[in-house]
Amino acid sequence: MRGRALHPAQGYAPAASGSAAVLPHELAAGYAAKAPLLAVAMLAVVAVRVHEVLPLIPLLRPALLITVGGFIYAWSKTGSAVRRAALSDRTIRLVLLYYAWCIATLLTSLWRGQSIASLRAFLPAVLLTITIMLCPPRKAVLDRIQFLFVVLIGMFGFAALQASRGWGGRLEFGGMYDSNDLAAVMTIGFPLAIGSLTRGTGKQRLIAGVCAASMLFTVVATGSRGGFLGFMAAVLVLAWGLKGTRRIWVVGLMMFAMLIAWGTSSRMFKNRVRSLTNLENDYNYTSDVGRKAVWARGRGYIRAHPFLGVGIGNFPVAEGATWTSANRSGKWSTAHNAYIQAGAELGIPGGALYILLLVNGALIAVRLSRGMRLADGTWEYRADHIAALAGFSTSAVFLSHAYFNGLFALLGLIALTERSLAAESRLPVLDRVPADAPLPAAPIGPRHGERGGLAHGVAYSAHANMSNAVTRGVQRVGGSWHGAQPR
């Protein structure tokens, strides 16, 4: 991305510096006016599942109702060029291909009813990812969505801590999230909260900091070892990706908060963390229902069903069949490893698609962490996305998260971030621009062969961005433009 000529999306005026306002309707041609609001609502009920805080509400299936209804509304109110842009995005194409392959596994599913139920539960995550990409690709819109996502996760973590419900001293909350799932959500949210903290101003920084603390203490309360390892991976990658003085004070704050969290954590959590250095005596290594044995059987399912797998959601069914064939009783266990789960349930092609989803997101997130130059000459660094993805990918080694809602929310945010920053990146300008130089005419439609095109939004136009660039250049250096260098 760096060094490439990137153009603002057609129909958009350049964003005001430091603006946090939602994009005015007249500047969002082709985009549904309520798309960002719908995306936040879907994040709330799909990725965070805030409705589970209230009794009886989950029985109404709000995640399915809101995502299907919201998606239909957003899709119908969105221009055809924007819809084509969303469907042309590599991330969206991979997500749709992944879901299509999940549907294909119905052909060989061990229990078709379980697969249909799993497909229905996975659908809201797919619709959420597409809806995020239907939002206007503007930094102000993006930052608002990410900030509200952080607030939702932070509030959910705080509600979980207040409930203090759990099994064996480990915090659980809601009907869908056990301790490990809850830790994974917080692991994704923590780097995003730090990102909002470093880029926000005033109250936003304070709120993002409080949410980050809530997520940290929630991970500790869950006692999830997989979640803890993922959280540590996210923190290390985030510390590596931060630039300048931000790295010093943010890393200092995180270390201070982690020391407090460790000092106030339960004996159970400390013992579980210490057990990571002595896994040979852990039940996961010694028991037939421990992770080592489950993973070995999972690799056997991949070899036995290499193409379409045992069917989406059918790993526990395969476990039951294994116990039955051996004339033994045992736990119908989940895979406890997202990569083995995807390979066993979806076959080798489905497992490869899952890994490709993560690799594609990682490549985009790494480019974002290296920085993109915006129209005002400043550089935008987004290390929080690669940190969140690294945290999830690490915890996925121990958790059954091949269809985890939080992952697809994160992939949608990463893709929208790339489009938004690309749309607001500056064009290269000649070193000297006369004050009375005429402005270039706006090109009509996308340039033939230009990378981005519909994949990065609607057709790009340089006119508005060039106008601001020339004006700022004349005002700042009396007729000469000197491109800003990275900090």
Side-chain angles (χ1 to χ4, degrees):
M1 302 301 292
R2 195 162 173 174
R4 187 189 306 159
L6 297 166
H7 308 260
Q10 183 177 354
Y12 290 99
S17 178
S19 171
V22 177
L23 194 67
H25 293 176
E26 63 269 16
L27 300 182
Y31 288 87
K34 292 182 173 58
L37 179 62
L38 291 172
V40 172
M42 292 182 190
L43 286 169
V45 297
V46 176
V48 187
R49 303 192 65 83
V50 295
H51 54 279
E52 295 194 1
V53 175
L54 303 174
L56 302 182
I57 295 297
L59 299 177
L60 302 177
R61 308 183 72 84
L64 186 62
L65 292 175
I66 290 177
T67 50
V68 172
F71 174 78
I72 292 174
Y73 175 86
W75 188 263
S76 64
K77 297 295 183 180
T78 299
S80 59
V82 177
R83 292 199 296 264
R84 289 195 299 270
L87 295 180
S88 298
D89 184 86
R90 183 183 293 112
T91 298
I92 298 301
R93 286 184 173 183
L94 286 173
V95 169
L96 290 175
L97 182 59
Y98 186 62
Y99 190 71
W101 193 264
C102 291
I103 295 175
T105 64
L106 287 172
L107 297 174
T108 58
S109 174
L110 299 181
W111 182 8
R112 192 161 296 175
Q114 177 64 24
S115 291
I116 292 174
S118 299
L119 285 169
R120 186 170 59 245
F122 186 22
L123 178 62
V126 176
L127 298 181
L128 166 62
T129 310
I130 300 174
T131 304
I132 290 175
M133 291 298 288
L134 295 179
C135 295
R138 302 296 291 179
K139 182 175 177 293
V141 174
L142 168 71
D143 287 342
R144 181 64 60 85
I145 292 174
Q146 178 168 325
F147 175 73
L148 292 177
F149 186 33
V150 164
V151 172
L152 289 168
I153 298 176
M155 291 175 60
F156 192 75
F158 181 77
L161 291 171
Q162 293 300 306
S164 298
R165 294 200 306 268
W167 174 80
R170 299 178 59 189
L171 179 65
E172 295 181 351
F173 191 63
M176 287 289 292
Y177 288 156
D178 64 9
S179 300
N180 296 322
D181 296 332
L182 187 58
V185 173
M186 301 299 146
T187 296
I188 290 174
F190 182 81
L192 300 180
I194 298 298
S196 294
L197 185 151
T198 57
R199 292 186 295 269
T201 57
K203 292 182 179 179
Q204 280 193 353
R205 284 191 171 187
L206 176 61
I207 295 173
V210 171
C211 290
S214 170
M215 297 171 199
L216 169 59
F217 282 93
T218 302
V219 170
V220 171
T222 62
S224 170
R225 288 179 291 189
F228 173 76
L229 291 175
F231 186 85
M232 292 304 300
V235 168
L236 291 174
V237 173
L238 182 62
W240 165 78
L242 291 172
K243 306 296 181 182
T245 57
R246 288 181 179 180
R247 175 182 294 175
I248 299 174
W249 67 266
V250 171
V251 170
L253 283 175
M254 288 193 298
M255 291 181 62
F256 178 71
M258 291 174 70
L259 287 174
I260 294 178
W262 178 263
T264 58
S265 63
S266 65
R267 181 178 300 177
M268 178 273 302
F269 174 76
K270 293 176 181 177
N271 290 337
R272 288 180 63 82
V273 172
R274 293 190 184 104
S275 70
L276 292 171
T277 62
N278 186 28
L279 292 177
E280 291 79 6
N281 297 321
D282 189 86
Y283 84 95
N284 281 307
Y285 273 70
T286 60
S287 173
D288 285 342
V289 295
R291 279 176 168 81
K292 184 179 179 180
V294 171
W295 294 349
R297 292 194 293 272
R299 291 190 293 269
Y301 305 148
I302 296 174
R303 291 190 294 269
H305 307 270
F307 188 59
L308 288 175
V310 299
I312 178 176
N314 272 248
F315 192 98
V317 180
E319 283 283 87
T322 298
W323 293 118
T324 301
S325 64
N327 294 320
R328 296 176 57 191
S329 61
K331 179 182 178 182
W332 290 31
S333 176
T334 57
H336 293 296
N337 181 302
Y339 309 102
I340 292 178
Q341 178 189 15
E345 294 186 356
L346 309 179
I348 294 175
L353 279 173
Y354 180 72
I355 294 174
L356 189 57
L357 273 170
L358 296 176
V359 171
N360 176 70
L363 291 175
I364 298 173
V366 167
R367 291 197 295 267
L368 295 174
S369 70
R370 291 175 177 172
M372 297 178 67
R373 185 160 54 183
L374 303 185
D376 59 2
T378 61
W379 284 77
E380 183 81 10
Y381 298 92
R382 300 261 174 167
D384 41 327
H385 294 86
I386 185 60
L389 191 57
F392 171 82
S393 300
T394 302
S395 64
V397 175
F398 309 95
L399 309 176
S400 304
H401 282 171
Y403 325 104
F404 191 59
N405 295 339
L407 167 63
F408 291 89
L410 177 61
L411 293 176
L413 283 175
I414 291 174
L416 180 61
T417 300
E418 183 189 36
R419 289 183 61 210
S420 299
L421 297 188
E424 299 207 16
S425 296
R426 64 178 288 273
L427 280 169
V429 183
L430 295 177
D431 186 58
R432 296 193 62 83
V433 182
D436 58 349
L439 297 177
I444 300 176
R447 298 176 181 176
H448 179 70
E450 176 181 342
R451 189 194 184 282
L454 293 177
H456 282 279
V458 292
Y460 288 137
S461 166
H463 180 74
N465 200 23
M466 180 73 80
S467 174
N468 266 22
V470 171
T471 303
R472 284 194 300 272
V474 171
Q475 291 175 346
R476 290 169 59 185
V477 293
S480 296
W481 178 272
H482 300 284
Q485 299 299 318
R487 295 190 295 272

